[in-house]
Amino acid sequence: MNILAIETSCDETSAAIVQGDGMGVKIISSIVSSQINIHKKYGGVVPEVAARNHIKNIIPVVNKAIGKAFYLHSEKKKQKNINYSQIGRKEIGLIAVTSGPGLVSSLLIGAQTADALAYTWKKPFITINHIEGHIYANWLRHSRSIELPKFPSLCLVVSGGHTQLVLMRNHHSYKTIGQTRDDAAGEAFDKVAQILGIGYPGGPIISKLAQSSESEYKEKFHLPRPMMNNNDFDFSFSGLKTAVLYLVNDLKKNISDDFNSLPKSIVAEICKEFQQAVIDVLIAKTIKAAKAFKVKSILLAGGVSANYELRKQLGEKVKTDLSNVSSYIPEQDFCTDNAAMIGAAAYYRIKANPEFLKQRAKIKVDPNWEL
Ligand code: KG4
Ligand code: ZN
């Protein structure tokens, strides 16, 4: 069955067609229209602006996802302005949409579009939790076959709004065993980038600068690893962000002639040390929890899992410290917000309870929906 999935929880308008089977979920098409270029001049996502752009983008994005899945490989691709949604609706068996957590005005655009399409096309309709979507990106299949995660699994969810360690004893069984007490990991990347004046969103920019760090300042700066050796599985990133702020203010006073800017080599070295501090804490707590709960798989989920060093170092650490545990990380393009992951989560919801196909979910968005 083809699932049309829609995701608009923050600043990405996305639609995808996916199909599930015993070997995971196959992506037939995936369209992500990012608004980063619009929001970066404000230094972050402006909810009003995001919602207005979702309204503009949603129908073309859905149209393109359907067109790419079923028509664009054929002769019809030569014809312009085709309403693929209209002709493609017969191919779709289910419509899935993110209905929380996220920005309420953004969520509403996706949810109302999905609801309207389901009503007019007479299709079943299901609402999906955004964090569940991030976790199920680990069940997306890119090549012919993948080994699927085994339970119990431990998921490290690291996004712009969430940082949590979630124990899954089976599909849809979630127990949060630790979480951030203040900022989320992605939020810390974004705020530190703001302090350094290097742009938005912080994660990809910091990661790129950290890779370029080869300077006389190598390993000169030392930032704290908050709560790394505590007995619980919680995190805290707000103090780390403040430590960067103090360091930057000191350096600006002592090193830079121009109070407003630091040399690029220093900025790159701070990025490297900050990124490593976040990674050290995330990995230490994940490995400790994996041992404590004797899990078989470790899953990485959320936008921060696109981070090259985190992906590499977590994979290496699991190999050396946990011989019987496999680690799973979504392909980089499916770490940040996308509709394919929502389709994957929908497939497993339907598999667990086919009754969903007989009823139409009530449209209800919940900006604070917890797993
Ligand atoms: O999951 P996501 O796309 O949206 C939310 O659900 O929040 O995550 C966005 C977050 C942002 O804070 C962004 O800075 C961070 O993910 N991010 C990264 C990287 N790419 C995106 N953080 C670190 N390294 C990256 N390469
Ligand atoms: Zn997300």
Side-chain angles (χ1 to χ4, degrees):
M1 179 179 62
N2 290 306
I3 301 174
L4 166 65
I6 294 176
E7 152 69 42
T8 62
S9 66
C10 189
D11 60 341
E12 261 98 24
T13 318
S14 180
I17 304 287
V18 303
Q19 276 173 10
D21 56 31
M23 292 176 310
V25 177
K26 191 169 145 197
I27 302 165
I28 312 296
S29 70
S30 166
I31 306 293
V32 180
S33 168
S34 173
Q35 301 178 18
I36 282 177
N37 284 335
I38 298 168
H39 296 280
K40 71 179 177 197
K41 57 177 173 281
Y42 305 110
V45 178
V46 183
E48 273 276 330
V49 177
R52 250 182 282 143
N53 280 281
H54 283 312
I55 293 174
K56 223 164 65 187
N57 295 338
I58 187 74
I59 297 299
V61 164
V62 168
N63 199 34
K64 209 162 163 188
I66 295 175
K68 207 165 167 203
F70 308 119
Y71 301 103
L72 284 174
H73 51 277
S74 73
E75 272 305 290
K76 288 193 179 116
K77 77 175 166 197
K78 293 186 187 116
Q79 302 171 32
K80 288 219 167 90
N81 302 325
I82 292 185
N83 188 339
Y84 292 114
S85 296
Q86 273 310 320
I87 53 173
R89 63 186 184 181
K90 62 180 185 302
E91 315 276 356
I92 290 159
L94 169 73
I95 299 180
V97 70
T98 309
S99 67
L103 301 171
V104 68
S105 48
S106 289
L107 289 164
L108 275 168
I109 311 304
Q112 285 178 339
T113 305
D115 186 52
L117 291 176
Y119 180 78
T120 49
W121 294 352
K122 299 187 174 53
K123 304 287 178 186
F125 168 66
I126 185 171
T127 54
I128 296 292
N129 180 296
H130 181 75
I131 300 302
E132 178 166 292
H134 274 304
I135 292 173
Y136 274 84
N138 287 289
W139 275 264
L140 284 172
R141 184 168 88 222
H142 303 271
S143 52
R144 282 167 68 88
S145 68
I146 57 161
E147 192 200 321
L148 297 176
K150 289 191 185 73
F151 297 112
S153 290
L154 178 70
C155 314
L156 172 63
V157 180
V158 271
S159 71
H162 291 77
T163 296
Q164 46 192 149
L165 276 167
V166 180
L167 181 67
M168 280 179 84
R169 294 205 184 277
N170 213 326
H171 283 292
H172 313 124
S173 143
Y174 303 111
K175 184 170 184 229
T176 300
I177 57 166
Q179 59 193 318
T180 183
R181 296 189 184 169
D182 39 58
D183 292 352
E187 187 182 357
F189 270 93
D190 296 336
K191 287 179 174 169
V192 163
Q194 211 168 22
I195 291 168
L196 294 168
I198 51 178
Y200 173 87
I205 302 170
I206 287 179
S207 155
K208 205 165 156 208
L209 280 169
Q211 259 173 313
S212 75
S213 175
E214 286 286 341
S215 70
E216 68 267 41
Y217 298 102
K218 205 168 168 79
E219 289 172 17
K220 189 143 187 190
F221 309 122
H222 297 284
L223 292 167
R225 270 68 175 156
M227 296 179 68
M228 188 158 85
N229 299 312
N230 284 26
N231 280 333
D232 55 30
F233 302 112
D234 282 347
F235 304 93
S236 165
F237 294 107
S238 156
L240 176 58
K241 167 197 71 190
T242 310
V244 174
L245 179 67
Y246 288 155
L247 173 65
V248 167
N249 284 344
D250 279 352
L251 289 168
K252 278 182 176 173
K253 266 188 243 152
N254 298 328
I255 296 180
S256 177
D257 296 334
D258 170 5
F259 187 77
N260 286 316
S261 66
L262 286 174
K264 199 171 165 214
S265 52
I266 290 186
V267 172
E269 194 52 38
I270 297 174
C271 286
K272 193 171 173 190
E273 171 63 4
F274 163 76
Q275 175 178 273
Q276 196 54 50
V278 175
I279 292 175
D280 285 348
V281 180
L282 291 176
I283 292 183
K285 293 260 164 153
T286 304
I287 298 289
K288 194 160 81 171
K291 284 180 182 164
F293 291 92
K294 298 187 173 57
V295 299
K296 291 189 179 143
S297 323
I298 292 178
L299 319 183
L300 201 49
V304 181
S305 51
N307 186 277
Y308 174 79
E309 280 298 323
L310 174 61
R311 300 165 75 87
K312 187 174 125 226
Q313 293 181 32
L314 180 68
E316 286 167 359
K317 192 78 177 152
V318 171
K319 257 196 198 131
T320 54
D321 285 28
L322 304 163
S323 53
N324 294 321
V325 178
S326 308
S327 61
Y328 296 82
I329 307 176
E331 295 250 320
Q332 221 152 1
D333 285 351
F334 296 91
C335 289
T336 43
D337 292 349
N338 67 88
M341 68 186 195
I342 302 302
Y347 169 73
Y348 281 97
R349 282 280 169 193
I350 297 295
K351 195 164 180 261
N353 185 4
E355 285 296 304
F356 278 123
L357 289 172
K358 295 192 193 138
Q359 63 211 15
R360 260 175 36 86
K362 278 214 165 61
I363 169 174
K364 183 171 157 267
V365 301
D366 180 354
N368 302 312
W369 186 4
E370 285 182 18
L371 260 186

